[in-house]
Amino acid sequence: MSSTSLKLVSSNAQTGAKINTSIPYVNESASSATLKQYGQMLNALTTNNYLQTDRVQTINVDTEEVPTGNTKPTPTITLTPSSLTRLQIFQRSTDIKVEWTGDYQGNIYTQSIEEYDPNVYIEDSGDDAGKTKMYFYHPGNQGDTGNWYTGTLTGIIMIPETANYSAATANFTVTE
Amino acid sequence: MADIITTSYNLKIESLFVDGDTRTQTLKNPRADITTADIQNLESFMRANNIIKGDKYGGTFGRIQTVKRVSETRTKLDFS
C-alpha cells in the first residue's frame, strides 16, 4: 500500500525555527495547487510564516507489490535497408541487416509478411558474436515470382518482451 | 536557578468522516483570533476537494467536528 501525505513547512514568527506539520492520508488525486491551497489555509490559522507545502508519497516496502510501471529498456531496431523488392529477395542479392541495441539474445520474429507469402523466411546470420543480424530469403528459383502477392508488403520485425527488455518492433517493406 | 515554565499552544482540528472515523490534525502556534468563518471556509474547502481521507478505511471527509485551542504548560525543574 502507498499513501500520500502533505508536509506543511513553516517557521516560527518569533524564533524563525522551522516547523514541519505532517497531514497524513490526503487525497492522492488532489492536484499540487489544491494541496498548496490547503497547506496555506492551515497555516493561515497559525501565527507561523508559510514556507512551502510538500506532497509526500509513502510506500510500505513490507507490503508493496513490485511496481507495475515498466522500467525495462526498449531495444531500438535498425533495418538496413528497410525495404527490398521481391526480386531482390528471390535473387538473395541484398540482405537486410537487422541490428538492435542492448544485449538481447533471444529469438526475433516477423509478422505480417507470412500472411502474404509463407515461403519467405528469416535466417539467423550465424554470427559468432551472437544474433547481431539476420537475412531474409526466399527458397524459390530466381525469377520465379509468379506466386508473389502483388503490391507492397509491410512486415514487422519483433523482439518479444523478456525479463530484461520491453518488446520492440520495426517495419520493413517488400515492394514489387 | 528557578524552575523554567513554558507554555505552548496547539490547534486541534477533529474531522469526522462519513464512515464514522475521526482524525485530529494538530497545528502549532494557532492564532488567538480564529473565527467561525475561518473554520467554515476550511471545512468547505476540505469537503469540496475531499482533501483528506479517514486513516482507518479511507473514508470520505464529512465535516469538522471540533476545533480546540489547547495550551500545554511545561515546567523544567531546577535541580541545581
Side-chain angles (χ1 to χ4, degrees):
Chain A
M1 285 288 291
S2 66
S3 63
T4 302
S5 60
L6 175 154
K7 186 173 79 170
L8 170 63
V9 184
S10 56
S11 64
N12 186 301
Q14 279 74 47
T15 67
K18 273 193 176 180
I19 300 169
N20 291 327
T21 304
S22 179
I23 309 293
Y25 300 106
V26 300
N27 184 347
E28 61 272 10
S29 300
S31 69
S32 294
T34 300
L35 293 181
K36 178 180 180 179
Q37 187 175 353
Y38 182 49
Q40 290 178 323
M41 290 180 81
L42 292 174
N43 191 72
L45 297 175
T46 74
T47 60
N48 303 323
N49 294 323
Y50 176 84
L51 294 178
Q52 69 185 64
T53 301
D54 295 337
R55 179 199 297 269
V56 180
Q57 190 74 25
T58 301
I59 297 174
N60 182 337
V61 297
D62 293 321
T63 59
E64 189 74 3
E65 296 179 355
V66 174
T68 56
N70 188 351
T71 58
K72 293 185 290 190
T74 302
T76 298
I77 304 173
T78 304
L79 306 178
T80 310
S82 60
S83 68
L84 287 179
T85 66
R86 57 181 181 173
L87 184 58
Q88 285 175 305
I89 287 184
F90 270 104
Q91 294 174 334
R92 304 185 69 170
S93 59
T94 306
D95 300 319
I96 292 181
K97 185 167 71 173
V98 183
E99 298 172 295
W100 54 92
T101 58
D103 58 356
Y104 174 78
Q105 294 290 315
N107 293 318
I108 293 180
Y109 301 95
T110 59
Q111 286 183 332
S112 301
I113 196 168
E114 292 90 346
E115 297 173 9
Y116 303 108
D117 191 329
N119 294 316
V120 174
Y121 299 94
I122 56 175
E123 179 181 20
D124 186 346
S125 68
D127 191 312
D128 290 341
K131 293 181 178 180
T132 55
K133 51 188 171 181
M134 59 176 46
Y135 309 104
F136 293 86
Y137 75 101
H138 192 290
N141 296 320
Q142 180 176 339
D144 181 13
T145 61
N147 294 328
W148 273 85
Y149 173 89
T150 57
T152 300
L153 306 180
T154 300
I156 301 173
I157 299 291
M158 180 177 65
I159 291 178
E161 182 173 0
T162 67
N164 297 322
Y165 289 100
S166 297
T169 60
N171 294 330
F172 68 92
T173 56
V174 180
T175 60
E176 283 194 70
Chain B
M1 292 281 289
D3 294 346
I4 298 175
I5 301 173
T6 57
T7 302
S8 61
Y9 294 91
N10 289 317
L11 189 70
K12 292 188 177 292
I13 304 172
E14 185 181 46
S15 298
L16 176 66
F17 296 82
V18 294
D19 59 4
D21 191 11
T22 59
R23 281 179 54 189
T24 299
Q25 299 163 245
T26 301
L27 301 173
K28 293 181 177 178
N29 307 323
R31 282 174 23 223
D33 59 349
I34 294 173
T35 65
T36 301
D38 288 335
I39 302 304
Q40 288 174 338
N41 286 339
L42 177 66
E43 181 185 63
S44 296
F45 179 84
M46 293 171 71
R47 187 182 297 121
N49 295 281
N50 191 27
I51 195 72
I52 59 172
K53 304 183 297 183
D55 55 2
K56 288 181 182 171
Y57 313 111
T60 301
F61 174 79
R63 61 184 173 87
I64 292 177
Q65 186 161 255
T66 62
V67 179
K68 299 175 185 175
R69 190 167 187 268
V70 180
S71 64
E72 182 180 71
T73 301
R74 296 184 180 186
T75 302
K76 188 175 181 181
L77 301 178
D78 177 15
F79 293 112
S80 61

